[in-house]
Amino acid sequence: MDIRDPELTDEYLIRSALDGDDEAFAVLVRRHRQKVFGIAGRFARHDHELDDLAQEIFLKAYRNLGRFRQESPFEHWLSRIAVRTCYDALRKRRREGSEVPIDDLAIVAENDIEPMRAKELLDRALVRLSAEQRLVITLLELEERSVREVAALTGWSETNVKVRAFRAREALKRILEADYERPA
Amino acid sequence: MNDRLDRLLVAVRAARMDTSRVELGFEARLLSRIRAQREETALWGAWAWRLIPAFAALVIVLGLLNLVSQPADVWPALLDDPETTLWIGGQTGE
């Protein structure tokens, strides 16, 4: 099956997958995996974790395919599952506790920070935030989604998203400040 | 610190995780996991069906044991009790 075939709509593929056609679900996965990898990639620390997260997201989608009501596009429904799965993973990770000191924050003062190095630094700072704060920073600041979109993805109210975003930013600033001012 | 944080966020936005290695054969891995889970569920279902006669036999045996171990003359003992006799009389109007 060709994923660009216009006759293979998401609705058709979902119906076929529900009838037991695994190949139809594979086409659905192929069509939407970039979106899922894009979201999960912001939360995963390495390839292995990304693979686990992406598989978990599609497994949840597969198990709940019968509940998809087609009121909104499949992509939106899948994105909500992706965000919720990543949020659960963040909460689990936080319970496991993994805090690495930020030892090289001086480079944040530089004008041109190498993106991967910046990501590494931010990841270490984000670890110290709560799962909610990390989720909201990632979706608003890194994915550049609107408050309304974040509210739709998380199920929080728009006011709640704004409050959480403000607190998350403040917390992040405090973490970076404390580490930056810490004597080496 | 606001500026510094903004600079950091701008830099991180540009950093995209290379997902090409994970995407390789992703559907195949996912489908084999789905099939494995489906088989596992089917296996549990099959075992549950197979165990139904055993459970039914167990219930029958327990029922029989219960019947055999009960005292034979419960009613005369109950009717000998004046309070029970009074209550039955009240119910039946005798």
Side-chain angles (χ1 to χ4, degrees):
Chain A
M1 283 192 226
D2 183 7
I3 59 166
R4 283 156 301 189
D5 186 343
E7 283 186 18
L8 295 177
T9 61
D10 283 354
E11 291 71 29
Y12 173 79
L13 291 169
I14 290 164
R15 270 199 310 275
S16 305
L18 284 171
D19 288 340
D21 184 352
D22 286 347
E23 185 51 34
F25 187 67
V27 174
L28 210 54
V29 171
R30 219 171 298 146
R31 186 176 284 172
H32 295 284
R33 73 176 177 200
Q34 276 298 325
K35 186 90 194 166
V36 167
F37 276 99
I39 295 172
R42 288 287 185 196
F43 298 93
R45 291 167 292 186
H46 40 74
D47 281 2
H48 188 71
E49 197 169 49
L50 177 64
D51 192 40
D52 275 352
L53 268 176
Q55 283 202 33
E56 196 57 40
I57 291 163
F58 280 114
L59 271 176
K60 278 186 186 167
Y62 181 78
R63 283 191 216 116
N64 294 295
L65 217 48
R67 290 192 206 161
F68 174 59
R69 289 283 159 262
Q70 303 190 2
E71 288 152 359
S72 58
F74 178 72
E75 193 178 298
H76 294 185
W77 184 73
L78 189 63
S79 296
R80 274 201 297 277
I81 294 178
V83 166
R84 191 130 292 270
T85 308
C86 292
Y87 176 55
D88 289 344
L90 284 181
R91 287 204 301 185
K92 195 173 161 223
R93 201 189 294 169
R94 205 170 154 74
R95 276 201 299 274
E96 285 165 1
S98 50
E99 207 169 276
V100 184
I102 306 164
D103 51 6
D104 200 13
L105 267 172
I107 68 152
V108 180
E110 294 166 16
N111 281 326
D112 292 313
I113 319 166
E114 201 265 310
M116 286 319 282
R117 182 81 187 107
K119 184 183 185 309
E120 203 179 301
L121 279 176
L122 186 70
D123 279 347
R124 283 196 238 163
L126 287 176
V127 164
R128 301 187 196 177
L129 297 183
S130 69
E132 285 95 352
Q133 289 174 334
R134 184 164 181 177
L135 184 72
V136 84
I137 283 280
T138 306
L139 295 175
L140 272 177
E141 305 277 5
L142 302 181
E143 291 270 298
E144 294 185 284
R145 291 176 188 268
S146 67
V147 171
R148 181 176 287 187
E149 275 180 297
V150 177
L153 284 169
T154 54
W156 301 335
S157 70
E158 287 186 30
T159 315
N160 226 327
V161 172
K162 283 181 199 165
V163 170
R164 280 178 171 154
F166 176 76
R167 287 186 186 153
R169 223 184 130 86
E170 289 304 301
L172 197 56
K173 270 197 286 186
R174 274 198 303 276
I175 291 166
L176 293 174
E177 222 156 25
D179 278 275
Y180 188 61
E181 282 161 11
R182 196 177 56 187
Chain B
M1 187 43 77
N2 252 329
D3 282 352
R4 221 171 275 157
L5 178 59
D6 285 336
R7 264 205 301 274
L8 184 67
L9 291 170
V10 167
V12 177
R13 253 176 246 147
R16 276 273 165 199
M17 198 173 184
D18 176 21
T19 60
S20 56
R21 272 171 303 183
V22 184
E23 285 186 55
L24 206 70
F26 178 75
E27 286 88 18
R29 285 199 300 282
L30 181 70
L31 284 186
S32 67
R33 204 168 147 187
I34 287 173
R35 282 185 194 123
Q37 284 191 357
R38 200 187 290 149
E39 276 166 25
E40 200 180 324
T41 313
L43 200 71
W44 276 105
W47 267 104
W49 277 109
R50 263 180 235 167
L51 286 173
I52 283 178
F55 277 120
L58 189 71
V59 169
I60 291 168
V61 168
L62 285 174
L64 286 173
L65 276 174
N66 194 34
L67 211 69
V68 168
S69 63
Q70 259 185 9
D73 34 351
V74 175
W75 283 108
L78 269 175
L79 290 173
D80 281 347
D81 179 20
E83 271 185 35
T84 314
T85 318
L86 215 64
W87 181 79
I88 291 172
Q91 295 295 309
T92 55
E94 286 173 14

